[in-house]
Amino acid sequence: MAKIAYILLCHKDPDAIVQQAERLTAAGDFMSIHFDARARKEHFEAISEALKDNPNVVFAKKRIRCGWGEWSLVQATLHAVEAAEEAFPRATHFYMLSGDCMPIKSAEYMHRFLDDRDVDLIESFDFLASDWIKTGMKRERLIYRHFFNERKHKRLFYGSYNLQKRLGLTRRIPSDLQIMIGSQWWCLRRRTIEAVLEFCRQRRDVLWFFRTTWIPDETFFQTLVRHLVPEEEIETRTPTFLMFSDYGMPITFYNDHYDMLLSQDFLFARKISPEAKELKRRLGAVYASQGMEFRISNEGASLFKFLTGRGRVGRRFAPRFWETESSLGRERELMIVTCKKWHVAKRLLERARQVTNLPAIEYLFNEEDTALPDLGGIQSTLEKRTRHRRALMRMLFDYYETDRLMICMDPSNLDLMQDFFSDRCTTRLLEIQTTFSDEYLLGHAKRVGLAGERTPQETIDRLLPTIRYDVVFESDRIRDADFPHFYRIREEASADENAEPLSAFLSIPPEQAREIAATEYLYVD
């Protein structure tokens, strides 16, 4: 049976560290702790005193001062690994953790998970060929020597870098190594750890290379494991669930993320908020549980984005600076049809096109494959269409040689609506209100990646009211915007009742409007 030696790097919150150590070792596993030498002395003393009688806990024999992006993080890890390897001969796996991590599975599940696969769990992608690094330095991390910390000594860091670059002082990458990159959160088998430590004793040249590499904790173990272990014995993934914001910052989890975390195909999660006391309590109970079943659905990223992003939607309505002076044209008329059920809006748009002979375009700001003419590339991606929306619409008016144009838009696009209503052209908006069954909302959740075929029923039960509220919220936001020339038709209303707003929206006779409103199968899902 698997026995895990947890390698814990930490620098704060001594009470949480003690609780973490007691929780993880209570299941028969082990822990080796490196507490940052920069942290307060009394905090380290408190941790040492609280854990001194726990035979399953050891401390790194040497504490060092750690800095982000420095070799010191790798060296601290090696000190903790060496202590664990020596103190716990029965440990079969070594799992890298931080003080912000919490288990999201039971110890029973974790042991079985590791017993079932004889592999090392570590992200390991080709440094130069992959797109793991999204922004900033890439090859420069390796071919130049980095002696200073970019965060603490920015001028020295970039001064040294620019001097080496100007003088052509590059260095060679060790010829027998393929440099790899990936997350620093891994779980390695004992024989892999022993091979890494032996390699470090034999190859001081490689250690010196990584000492002056920038952010080596993303490359050191990733490279050595790939060099020492057959490819078929490496599962290129991290066993710890983590996500990053659009700005590259780690996302923090709170009390209301409990169900989402348990359904992810990972063993731990980071970062857990220090204030999430209830979440920590519940996850601690999960770790100690027996016979607990976990239904893996793995929609963490999309669920998190949906559940936490609503408060930020629609807060920025200002047009881009290059668009403030552009206009669709004072004599032109833009008619926007908005509906959450896209197929309903498309049917109405098609019928209106047949009756009025007006040009009409479906969800051009929501669907990449919307049929559009070639407009010189501005129409090629959703990002370009949205960024240059006024220029795009002017070109479409010109292409169709018309002063009246109909389009479809999702109700979430309030910022686009705001922008078009602020233009000098006449803008009209028609909202189609429809009913939403639970089956339809579940299908919608699956289509947009919020749920899958294996999503637990309890997660679905929590998700559906949120989606339903979101639909209502979007409709309320449109009404609160108080747009002029705003009209609404409803699924529950009769064709005669809907004909009046349709007539005003399209500026057509009531008879034609009723013909559109009476479209067969308009609201059928």
Side-chain angles (χ1 to χ4, degrees), residues 316-410:
R316 306 174 197 167
F317 299 142
R320 272 52 171 197
F321 71 93
W322 62 82
E323 295 181 316
T324 56
E325 296 304 317
S326 64
S327 173
L328 276 61
R330 190 181 299 275
E331 306 301 321
R332 285 173 170 169
E333 186 174 343
L334 176 65
M335 291 165 284
I336 303 172
V337 177
T338 185
C339 182
K340 202 64 182 179
K341 289 186 176 180
W342 291 6
H343 61 281
V344 174
K346 290 178 181 180
R347 289 172 188 160
L348 185 136
L349 206 69
E350 178 58 28
R351 187 61 180 141
R353 181 178 353 188
Q354 295 171 358
V355 171
T356 66
N357 202 34
L358 288 173
I361 305 170
E362 296 175 355
Y363 286 84
L364 72 167
F365 294 108
N366 304 103
E367 291 186 303
E368 193 91 52
D369 58 354
T370 298
L372 289 171
D374 186 353
L375 302 174
I378 194 174
Q379 84 293 341
S380 58
T381 66
L382 288 177
E383 191 272 337
K384 284 185 178 181
R385 296 176 203 169
T386 303
R387 188 184 344 141
H388 305 297
R389 48 190 175 268
R390 293 197 187 183
L392 173 69
M393 296 310 301
R394 286 200 312 274
M395 296 173 75
L396 287 170
F397 274 106
D398 292 338
Y399 177 85
Y400 288 108
E401 298 180 347
T402 183
D403 288 329
R404 304 186 72 210
L405 181 66
M406 293 185 293
I407 64 171
C408 288
M409 196 176 290
D410 189 88

Side-chain angles (χ1 to χ4, degrees), residues 116-135:
D116 288 345
R117 44 178 57 76
D118 187 19
V119 295
D120 295 306
L121 301 168
I122 182 171
E123 281 192 347
S124 182
F125 303 100
D126 186 279
F127 186 96
L128 297 175
S130 73
D131 63 348
W132 201 88
I133 299 175
K134 302 298 183 184
T135 60

Side-chain angles (χ1 to χ4, degrees), residues 69-293:
E70 296 179 6
W71 167 256
S72 55
L73 287 175
V74 179
Q75 187 62 72
T77 304
L78 287 172
H79 287 327
V81 166
E82 288 167 349
E85 192 263 348
E86 179 182 340
F88 308 126
R90 293 193 301 127
T92 61
H93 294 78
F94 293 71
Y95 195 122
M96 182 74 181
L97 289 177
S98 76
D100 297 321
C101 295
M102 282 291 291
I104 55 175
K105 297 292 184 294
S106 64
E108 179 183 68
Y109 180 99
M110 292 188 190
H111 294 151
R112 186 169 63 248
F113 180 93
L114 295 175
D115 284 336
D116 288 345
R117 44 178 57 76
D118 187 19
V119 295
D120 295 306
L121 301 168
I122 182 171
E123 281 192 347
S124 182
F125 303 100
D126 186 279
F127 186 96
L128 297 175
S130 73
D131 63 348
W132 201 88
I133 299 175
K134 302 298 183 184
T135 60
M137 290 184 177
K138 187 170 183 178
R139 188 165 175 266
E140 293 82 1
R141 290 193 192 184
L142 306 178
I143 64 173
Y144 296 111
R145 299 166 180 84
H146 301 278
F147 302 102
F148 305 100
N149 187 293
E150 191 266 349
R151 292 189 174 181
K152 293 187 294 185
H153 306 291
K154 188 176 291 288
R155 289 183 62 185
L156 290 173
F157 178 90
Y158 286 105
S160 170
Y161 163 67
N162 289 326
L163 179 62
Q164 293 178 72
K165 191 175 181 180
R166 188 163 59 249
L167 297 177
L169 299 178
T170 59
R171 62 175 178 174
R172 292 183 178 179
I173 299 171
S175 59
D176 60 332
L177 292 182
Q178 179 185 7
I179 305 301
M180 310 298 287
I181 192 167
S183 168
Q184 61 269 56
W185 313 111
W186 40 255
C187 180
L188 304 178
R189 298 166 298 173
R190 184 179 194 90
R191 62 176 176 270
T192 301
I193 286 293
E194 291 172 345
V196 167
L197 294 178
E198 179 60 27
F199 183 92
C200 292
R201 288 188 284 268
Q202 299 292 329
R203 293 292 300 274
R204 310 304 293 181
D205 61 313
V206 172
L207 265 64
W208 178 249
F209 171 81
F210 281 104
R211 281 180 187 275
T212 50
T213 295
W214 183 232
I215 321 182
D217 57 322
E218 294 179 351
T219 55
F220 181 77
F221 286 97
Q222 296 78 358
T223 298
L224 266 58
V225 170
R226 183 67 67 171
H227 180 73
L228 297 168
V229 176
E231 183 176 359
E232 60 271 17
E233 295 181 23
I234 300 173
E235 191 171 333
T236 305
R237 58 161 290 181
T238 171
T240 298
F241 179 60
L242 65 161
M243 296 193 300
F244 292 89
S245 71
D246 294 340
Y247 303 100
M249 299 300 292
I251 282 171
T252 301
F253 300 111
Y254 296 91
N255 290 334
D256 55 348
H257 293 129
Y258 173 81
D259 291 322
M260 182 196 75
L261 292 176
L262 258 60
S263 66
Q264 304 312 304
D265 188 19
F266 296 87
L267 305 182
F268 279 77
R270 76 176 303 268
K271 308 172 59 170
I272 307 298
S273 169
E275 287 75 40
K277 307 292 186 184
E278 178 64 13
L279 176 60
K280 290 185 176 182
R281 184 194 66 77
R282 296 178 74 184
L283 292 178
V286 166
Y287 186 75
S289 66
Q290 297 286 328
M292 187 172 181
E293 293 187 4

Side-chain angles (χ1 to χ4, degrees), residues 401-465:
E401 298 180 347
T402 183
D403 288 329
R404 304 186 72 210
L405 181 66
M406 293 185 293
I407 64 171
C408 288
M409 196 176 290
D410 189 88
S412 64
N413 296 138
L414 183 61
D415 54 340
L416 297 180
M417 298 175 195
Q418 289 269 5
D419 192 29
F420 289 131
F421 270 96
S422 68
D423 191 85
R424 287 179 292 178
C425 76
T426 299
T427 302
R428 301 178 186 274
L429 178 63
L430 175 71
E431 181 188 17
I432 307 176
Q433 282 194 333
T434 59
T435 58
F436 296 91
S437 65
D438 284 352
E439 291 75 18
Y440 179 87
L441 292 177
L442 178 58
H444 172 71
K446 291 179 178 178
R447 285 191 295 273
V448 300
L450 295 175
E453 295 300 327
R454 300 172 63 188
T455 300
Q457 186 61 44
E458 54 266 30
T459 301
I460 291 173
D461 292 341
R462 287 167 58 92
L463 186 60
L464 288 182

